[in-house]
Amino acid sequence: PGEEGGEHVRRVLDLHPSCLVAWGRLDFPFALLQERQRDVERVVFVLSLETELQVRADRVLTDAWHGGYIAARHLLEQGRKRLLLLAHPLSTTADSFRHTLDGQLIQGFRMALDEAGPTVSGEVHFATRDEAETLRQRTALFSRPNGPDAALAAAAVQAVQLLRLLRDLGRRVPEDVAVAGYYDTPWCMQTDPPLTSVSIRAPEIARLAAERLLSTDTETAALRVKPELVVRGSSIVGAAP
């Protein structure tokens, strides 16, 4: 990220690589790549492409809108009425935010709530850059008399932190609060209870990216991989451990 990341990409382009695979995060130096497009034969962006610049590249992206939607739908299907989405710190303009993974995830989350009707509610809480302040705010949210009875965390680490917070507050998971995470990292199986999580199907993204790198097709491709929900004990009462 930032100037350091831009300098790293510059050094890579100085080598005139045959291909470049990159996560198209908002802090990627897109303008630099646009200027030096001739220095690399093929570019594949994976996971997200958070820019409006016209960069010639293949795209193998995760459908974060669908991920947010299926996670919220799952929580609603468990009879939950008050959903909370825990997002990363908000560090961009509203217009740029809609291109980010969190922005798309929130849109899908809200669509599921809209479809469920007025008997359910949902809100989004953005983390701050201060971990202690984020913990204070989230403790207050879950300490309210009618606090959230379900939560979706935009990353597994936030879900793990939430499980610890709920335990400290004496709230049972999933009986009092159902919890789901995102990315389905290996430690989702190490929590107590095991963590329901959205899998972005990383192996499939990698496979498709490799296919584009090896392709002789002169036209670029834009592919989206739909995530899948991996259901475990943190969101279903009575689930097997």
Side-chain angles (χ1 to χ4, degrees):
E3 294 182 7
E4 182 179 344
E7 183 57 33
H8 176 72
V9 173
R10 190 186 306 277
R11 291 197 299 269
V12 170
L13 293 175
D14 287 342
L15 300 174
H16 299 278
S18 59
C19 61
L20 175 68
V21 180
W23 182 356
R25 288 174 20 151
L26 195 63
D27 53 8
F28 182 87
F30 295 107
L32 171 63
L33 181 61
Q34 191 177 45
E35 294 172 7
R36 306 240 344 231
Q37 190 84 60
R38 293 182 179 180
D39 292 330
V40 57
E41 294 178 18
R42 194 165 201 118
V43 178
V44 179
F45 282 109
V46 296
L47 294 181
S48 63
L49 186 59
E50 302 171 4
T51 182
E52 294 181 351
L53 288 177
Q54 298 302 309
V55 179
R56 181 173 174 77
D58 289 296
R59 308 172 187 193
V60 183
L61 310 180
T62 181
D63 188 344
W65 187 100
H66 182 71
Y69 179 82
I70 60 175
R73 278 287 302 270
H74 168 72
L75 295 171
L76 292 167
E77 288 167 356
Q78 309 316 307
R80 306 298 168 152
K81 301 294 186 183
R82 302 179 303 279
L83 275 61
L84 176 67
L85 193 155
L86 305 178
H88 295 95
L90 185 60
S91 58
T92 184
T93 64
D95 187 57
S96 298
F97 181 70
R98 63 190 177 90
H99 294 289
T100 67
L101 288 179
D102 270 20
Q104 295 168 31
L105 190 155
I106 290 170
Q107 291 175 45
F109 173 82
R110 286 176 171 159
M111 177 58 72
L113 290 168
D114 288 345
E115 291 180 355
T119 60
V120 302
S121 63
E123 58 184 310
V124 177
H125 181 266
F126 292 95
T128 70
R129 298 295 179 185
D130 184 331
E131 290 188 10
E133 176 60 18
T134 297
L135 177 61
R136 187 194 69 77
Q137 293 179 9
R138 293 180 175 176
T139 298
L141 284 170
F142 285 96
S143 297
R144 297 181 310 194
N146 290 314
D149 61 3
L152 168 61
V157 64
Q158 292 198 59
V160 172
Q161 291 168 347
L162 176 59
L163 292 176
R164 185 181 304 120
L165 168 62
L166 293 172
R167 183 173 62 249
D168 291 344
L169 291 174
R171 307 296 301 279
R172 299 170 301 163
V173 177
E175 290 83 359
D176 299 324
V177 182
V179 177
Y182 214 85
Y183 294 110
D184 197 37
T185 55
W187 60 4
C188 292
M189 290 293 293
Q190 307 304 316
T191 61
D192 182 20
L195 183 64
T196 291
S197 187
V198 176
S199 167
I200 63 170
R201 300 170 59 205
E204 178 66 5
I205 292 174
R207 184 187 69 79
L208 292 172
E211 283 187 358
R212 294 311 304 167
L213 289 175
L214 299 173
S215 173
T216 57
D217 189 354
T218 57
E219 297 297 321
T220 59
L223 308 174
R224 282 196 180 272
V225 177
K226 283 189 177 296
E228 296 176 345
L229 188 68
V230 182
V231 178
R232 301 189 180 96
S234 66
S235 64
I236 296 185
V237 176

